[in-house]
């Protein structure tokens, strides 16, 4: 039976360059993949607005996962011909706790940790620009979160472990991204991807997806673990994350965005599909 590939990819530092967020080198490859109806699932800590901005540029009308697995969005069929997308073009098929839920719990039960971290609303624009690497014009989309909060940890690792333990008592968790800690419910990128694939199997009547997953940070581990072909993308001047799985992760030689293309095309069968006429 022919393999139906599905690509699940992190964005920052994986698909997008770590410093300049560039992906232009991959535009032709992305177009070829889309022409062959191979799903490219952005599975990211980014928000809906941040992902949509990239999708508009790529004209990529496919499902995606936001805020580290906390929200899964699926395209509405009759809007496929559009080149520009909005919230009305996707339906939310799964989500965890809301941002308001999270803030209520933190405000009520975590006062003893108040000096240990700062939420984004406590940071100045200058601090946010420095940490995120984004220009000021793009901060609005970063901050427009629905299912999570970003925080900067100011204390030691022992305190962080205590914080994590208490979070679990309230159905919350924190995961490390490339630049921030992400405060959310119990969702993660792996569980969300599994849920999305099950949804897609029913919608598309396909039952043999082979999953290619690409990531670079700790919040990508669960996604990589559930894939058939896990890839770790190199981050400049940083060691690869520790990763244990039944499938050995391949490591890119180059950082993003070239490392993304390099990884995808290192699979001979997939590369052959890209060479076939549509």
């Amino acid at each position: 039976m022919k393999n139906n590939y599905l690509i699940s990819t992190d964005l920052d530092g994986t698909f997008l360059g770590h410093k300049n967020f560039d992906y232009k080198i991959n535009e032709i490859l992305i177009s070829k993949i889309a022409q062959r109806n191979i799903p490219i699932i952005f599975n990211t800590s980014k928000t809906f607005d941040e992902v949509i901005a990239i999708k508009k540029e790529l004209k990529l009308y496919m499902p995606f996962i936001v805020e580290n697995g906390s929200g899964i969005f699926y395209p509405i069929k009759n809007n496929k011909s559009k080149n520009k997308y909005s919230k009305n073009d996707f339906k939310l098929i799964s989500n965890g706790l809301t941002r308001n839920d999270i803030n209520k719990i933190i405000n009520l039960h975590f006062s003893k940790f108040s000096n240990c971290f700062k939420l984004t609303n406590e940071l100045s624009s200058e601090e946010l620009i420095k940490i995120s690497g984004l220009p000021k014009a793009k901060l609005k989309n970063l901050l427009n979160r629905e299912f999570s909060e970003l925080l900067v940890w100011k204390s030691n690792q022992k305190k962080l472990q205590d914080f994590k333990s208490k979070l679990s008592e309230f159905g919350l968790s924190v995961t490390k991204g490339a630049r921030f800690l992400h405060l959310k419910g119990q969702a993660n990128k792996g569980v969300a991807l599994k849920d999305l694939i099950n949804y897609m199997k029913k919608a598309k009547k396909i039952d043999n997806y082979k999953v290619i997953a690409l990531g670079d940070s700790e919040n990508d581990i669960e996604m990589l673990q559930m894939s058939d072909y896990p890839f770790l993308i190199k981050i400049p001047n940083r060691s690869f994350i520790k990763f244990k799985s039944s499938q050995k992760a391949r490591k890119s030689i180059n950082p993003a965005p070239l490392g993304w293309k390099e990884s995808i095309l290192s699979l001979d069968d997939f590369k052959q599909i890209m060479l076939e006429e549509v």
Side-chain angles (χ1 to χ4, degrees):
M1 186 180 291
K2 181 181 176 181
N3 286 335
N4 292 287
Y5 283 103
L6 178 147
I7 298 168
S8 178
T9 180
D10 173 52
L11 290 177
D12 291 349
T14 297
F15 181 74
L16 306 174
H18 184 67
K19 287 188 175 180
N20 59 9
F21 302 98
D22 183 41
Y23 62 83
K24 299 298 183 184
I25 195 172
N26 292 323
E27 281 187 305
I28 294 173
L29 177 57
I30 286 285
S31 178
K32 287 182 177 180
I33 293 171
Q35 286 172 20
R36 288 156 178 78
N37 294 315
I38 296 171
I40 303 170
I41 309 300
F42 290 161
N43 196 346
T44 176
S45 62
K46 285 185 176 297
T47 64
F48 181 95
D49 291 337
E50 289 179 295
V51 174
I52 284 297
I54 298 169
K55 282 182 168 290
K56 285 178 180 177
E57 293 174 1
L58 289 169
K59 298 180 175 60
L60 202 60
Y61 192 54
M62 295 180 181
F64 59 98
I65 298 166
V66 301
E67 300 185 45
N68 288 303
S70 298
I72 304 173
F73 289 91
Y74 198 81
I76 297 169
K77 227 179 243 185
N78 59 4
N79 292 352
K80 191 173 182 179
S81 61
K82 293 177 65 175
N83 287 332
K84 292 187 176 181
Y85 314 124
S86 70
K87 205 115 187 181
N88 295 330
D89 299 306
F90 295 86
K91 61 180 176 179
L92 179 64
I93 63 171
S94 178
N95 66 281
L97 294 171
T98 67
R99 185 181 187 181
N100 285 338
D101 293 333
I102 293 167
N103 279 313
K104 284 178 184 177
I105 293 170
I106 294 299
N107 290 334
L108 281 172
H109 303 286
F110 287 80
S111 58
K112 76 172 187 177
F113 293 98
S114 60
N115 294 325
C116 296
F117 64 86
K118 280 190 174 183
L119 298 174
T120 49
N121 63 3
E122 300 172 305
L123 298 171
S124 67
S125 295
E126 290 72 23
E127 288 175 302
L128 283 170
I129 290 168
K130 184 177 179 179
I131 296 168
S132 69
L134 293 170
K136 189 173 183 178
K138 292 191 175 183
L139 289 182
K140 182 180 177 182
N141 287 346
L142 168 76
L143 299 175
N144 192 20
R145 315 191 79 77
E146 296 179 85
F147 316 110
S148 64
E149 277 285 7
L150 299 178
L151 62 86
V152 177
W153 192 253
K154 297 289 187 178
S155 189
N156 56 46
Q157 288 300 306
K158 172 64 170 60
K159 275 281 190 182
L160 181 57
Q161 290 308 313
D162 293 343
F163 183 62
K164 288 180 177 179
S165 296
K166 189 170 178 65
L167 286 174
S168 66
E169 297 174 17
F170 294 91
L172 298 179
S173 65
V174 67
T175 187
K176 186 179 179 182
R179 292 177 169 87
F180 291 96
L181 291 181
H182 299 259
L183 180 60
K184 57 187 179 54
Q186 294 292 343
N188 63 57
K189 291 184 179 184
V191 171
L193 179 59
K194 185 176 181 180
D195 290 345
L196 175 57
I197 290 174
N198 288 335
Y199 187 93
M200 291 173 67
K201 284 178 178 179
K202 293 176 183 176
K204 294 178 176 289
K205 297 181 173 59
I206 294 173
D207 62 4
N208 63 323
Y209 280 121
K210 286 287 186 180
V211 179
I212 301 169
L214 305 99
D216 68 294
S217 299
E218 289 180 15
N219 59 340
D220 298 314
I221 288 175
E222 291 87 357
M223 172 186 73
L224 294 164
Q225 286 174 331
M226 68 137 308
S227 70
D228 300 287
Y229 305 101
F231 287 93
L232 292 173
I233 306 301
K234 180 180 177 63
I235 292 183
N237 305 314
R238 192 185 300 178
S239 300
F240 287 101
I241 58 170
K242 294 179 181 179
F243 173 77
K244 292 181 181 179
S245 174
S246 57
Q247 301 291 339
K248 186 177 180 181
R250 306 185 190 196
K251 298 176 180 179
S252 75
I253 297 170
N254 295 288
L258 182 58
W260 193 91
K261 179 179 182 180
E262 166 204 322
S263 298
I264 292 282
L265 296 180
S266 71
L267 293 173
D268 291 338
D269 188 39
F270 188 85
K271 185 176 182 179
Q272 187 58 43
I273 292 171
M274 290 301 101
L275 295 173
E276 293 172 359
E277 293 294 328
V278 177

